[in-house]
Amino acid sequence: SSEVLEAIENVIQGVLQSLAQKKAPVLTVANRTDWRNIEFKDSVGLQMIPACTTKQIRSDCPQSARRFALMLKILSMIYKMVQSNTYATKRDIYYSDTLLFGSQSVVDQIINDISCMLKIPRRSLHVLSTTKGFVAGNLSYTEEDGTKVNCTCSATVFTVPSNVQGIKNLTSHAKFILIVEKDATFQRLLDDNFFNKVSPCIMITGRGIPDLNTRLLVRKLWDSFQIPIFTLMDADPHGVEIMCVYKYGSVSMSFEAHHLTVPSVKWLGLLPSDLERLNICKDALIPFTKQDENKLASIQKRPYIACQPLWKKELEIMAASKLKAEIQVLTSVSSDYLSRVYLPNKLQFGGWL
C-alpha cells in the first residue's frame, strides 16, 4: 500500500509543480486501445510495449479538462481507500456522484487509465469489479474474510469472488477446467450433472465477455492446479473473440497481461468443422450479419491467429460458409447430446485445438 500511496503522491506532486511554475498541469496516460502499442508473445498473449505512445490529458484544454478533473477526483478516492484499507466497487465510485461522473463507463475507463498510468494492478488500488461470473464443480477455497466455499458437494452455482487475489487454500481433484461462454449452457451442464459424470472438473462461465474477476480466477486456477483448460463457445465470431480474451487477453487490458492471460487455453468446441462433421441441418444455422463478417475479418488479421494454423482453418470454414451456430444447435441432434455424447467424445479422443 505504501507503493500505491507514493505513486499517487508523485502524480499530485507533478500537478503542484506545474501550478507553482504557472504552467497548466498535465496527466500522461498510455494509448491503451492502439494496436501499435501491443506486441504478441506466445507465452503471455497481448502485452503493451514498454515504449508505447501516450496521450496527454490537459487541464487547460476544453476537450480534456473535465477528464483531468475526474482523474484527480478518483485518485483522491483511491488514496483514501488505500490509507484506510477499505475497498469499493466501480459501481460504488460511480454512485458516489452520478451527476459528476455522468456514466459508469466513464468511471471504468478512468480507473483503467489510472491503473495503467501508475503501473499498479487495479485490485491493489482497492477498486473491485462487480462480479458476473459463476463457478461450479470440484473446487473448494477460503475467501479473504474466512468464508469457506465448497463447490464440490452439490450442483450449486457460486459467484466468482470479488477479491480473487485474497482467496486461499484452493483444493480440487478436477482433471480439467471447462470455460463455458453462456449462462444457459452452463446451467444445462449443471442440470445434467456433467462435472461428475465424465471425470471431476471445474466449470466457469463469464456469462459472455468475461469480467476481470472471472479472468483472474481462471488464471489463479491455472497457476494452482496446472490442469488442461478447455473452452466451449458458440461457433461464431463473437464466441471466438471471447475465447481469445481468456487465452491472449484484450488490447485495453494488455498492460496487465501477465496476471490475466492463460495461453494454454484450448478450443474444445463448438468448432465450425463440427457442424459439417455432425451433419447439422443448414436450417438450424444462422446467416452472418455484416457485423459478423467485419468481426471475423478483424480476428483473422490478429497476430496470434498466424501461430494457430488449426484455428486459422476453422475461421476459414466459418468465413466461407457465412453461417454461425449457437451451442444449443446440438439439441437438434438430441436433447442431451452436448453432455452425453459431444463433450465426453471430445475429451476422450482429443477433439480440441
Side-chain angles (χ1 to χ4, degrees), residues 120-177:
I120 289 168
R122 193 167 76 194
R123 36 210 184 281
S124 301
L125 302 176
H126 286 228
V127 178
L128 304 173
S129 308
T130 312
T131 299
K132 66 182 178 109
F134 290 147
V135 60
N138 195 294
L139 174 69
S140 60
Y141 55 86
T142 309
E143 291 200 5
E144 196 183 29
D145 63 2
T147 308
K148 287 186 167 55
V149 176
N150 188 355
C151 310
T152 310
C153 54
S154 65
T156 313
V157 170
F158 290 87
T159 306
V160 167
S162 58
N163 190 353
V164 174
Q165 200 184 16
I167 66 173
K168 49 190 183 292
N169 305 332
L170 287 92
T171 51
S172 176
H173 302 294
K175 296 287 183 278
F176 63 91
I177 295 163

Side-chain angles (χ1 to χ4, degrees), residues 241-252:
E241 172 89 283
I242 289 170
M243 174 172 55
C244 292
V245 169
Y246 284 107
K247 187 175 173 75
Y248 296 121
S250 58
V251 173
S252 63

Side-chain angles (χ1 to χ4, degrees), residues 267-269 271 274 277 342 345-353:
W267 187 3
L268 186 69
L271 303 177
D274 289 340
R277 185 174 59 80
Y342 182 82
N345 281 356
K346 285 241 164 188
L347 292 160
Q348 190 180 344
F349 301 116
W352 58 79
L353 309 178

Side-chain angles (χ1 to χ4, degrees), residues 38-96:
I38 311 296
E39 63 178 353
F40 170 64
K41 255 195 173 167
D42 232 357
S43 58
V44 182
L46 300 176
Q47 62 175 13
M48 193 171 268
I49 57 172
C52 67
T53 60
T54 56
K55 57 184 177 188
Q56 291 196 325
I57 298 171
R58 302 189 60 85
S59 59
D60 61 347
C61 166
Q63 281 83 19
S64 62
R66 175 179 156 72
R67 195 169 187 86
F68 179 90
L70 293 180
M71 280 190 80
L72 287 193
K73 167 76 174 167
I74 292 178
L75 275 168
S76 78
M77 293 173 86
I78 290 168
Y79 192 85
K80 281 176 194 151
M81 288 192 298
V82 175
Q83 259 186 332
S84 60
N85 196 25
T86 53
Y87 288 81
T89 64
K90 294 185 299 181
R91 274 186 92 65
D92 294 335
I93 291 173
Y94 168 59
Y95 279 110
S96 69

Side-chain angles (χ1 to χ4, degrees), residues 328-341:
Q328 285 85 338
V329 80
L330 295 176
T331 56
S332 68
V333 183
S334 75
S335 65
D336 59 350
Y337 188 78
L338 175 67
S339 58
R340 188 175 51 83
V341 182

Side-chain angles (χ1 to χ4, degrees), residues 95-309:
Y95 279 110
S96 69
D97 199 332
T98 53
L99 283 177
L100 176 69
F101 294 120
S103 77
Q104 181 70 60
S105 63
V106 167
V107 172
D108 297 356
Q109 283 171 9
I110 288 176
I111 287 165
N112 286 341
D113 277 342
I114 287 172
S115 175
C116 186
M117 175 176 76
L118 301 177
K119 294 185 171 53
I120 289 168
R122 193 167 76 194
R123 36 210 184 281
S124 301
L125 302 176
H126 286 228
V127 178
L128 304 173
S129 308
T130 312
T131 299
K132 66 182 178 109
F134 290 147
V135 60
N138 195 294
L139 174 69
S140 60
Y141 55 86
T142 309
E143 291 200 5
E144 196 183 29
D145 63 2
T147 308
K148 287 186 167 55
V149 176
N150 188 355
C151 310
T152 310
C153 54
S154 65
T156 313
V157 170
F158 290 87
T159 306
V160 167
S162 58
N163 190 353
V164 174
Q165 200 184 16
I167 66 173
K168 49 190 183 292
N169 305 332
L170 287 92
T171 51
S172 176
H173 302 294
K175 296 287 183 278
F176 63 91
I177 295 163
L178 182 66
I179 300 171
V180 183
E181 178 185 348
K182 288 201 296 221
D183 194 18
T185 310
F186 183 82
Q187 297 291 348
R188 179 67 209 245
L189 289 172
L190 271 182
D191 294 343
D192 291 350
N193 196 23
F194 172 76
F195 63 87
N196 285 323
K197 268 184 188 162
V198 183
S199 61
C201 73
I202 300 167
M203 295 198 322
I204 291 181
T205 179
R207 298 163 76 196
I209 294 168
D211 59 298
L212 195 69
N213 292 328
T214 305
R215 290 175 61 190
L216 282 168
L217 182 62
V218 170
R219 176 61 197 240
K220 185 149 193 142
L221 293 173
W222 162 246
D223 289 338
S224 303
F225 304 125
Q226 300 280 311
I227 52 178
I229 301 181
F230 301 113
T231 58
L232 180 63
M233 305 280 151
D234 287 341
D236 65 9
H238 189 63
V240 174
E241 172 89 283
I242 289 170
M243 174 172 55
C244 292
V245 169
Y246 284 107
K247 187 175 173 75
Y248 296 121
S250 58
V251 173
S252 63
M253 291 300 286
S254 58
F255 63 96
E256 269 210 61
H258 289 272
H259 309 288
L260 291 172
T261 59
V262 186
S264 62
V265 161
K266 302 279 187 285
W267 187 3
L268 186 69
L270 188 63
L271 303 177
S273 58
D274 289 340
L275 302 174
E276 293 177 5
R277 185 174 59 80
L278 298 170
N279 285 325
I280 300 290
C281 168
K282 282 276 198 303
D283 295 345
L285 306 179
I286 308 159
F288 261 25
T289 61
K290 188 77 192 130
Q291 203 178 358
D292 290 326
E293 284 182 44
N294 295 341
K295 167 79 78 185
L296 183 57
S298 103
I299 292 170
Q300 285 176 303
K301 290 193 194 98
R302 288 185 196 167
Y304 44 69
I305 296 300
C307 68
Q308 289 280 6

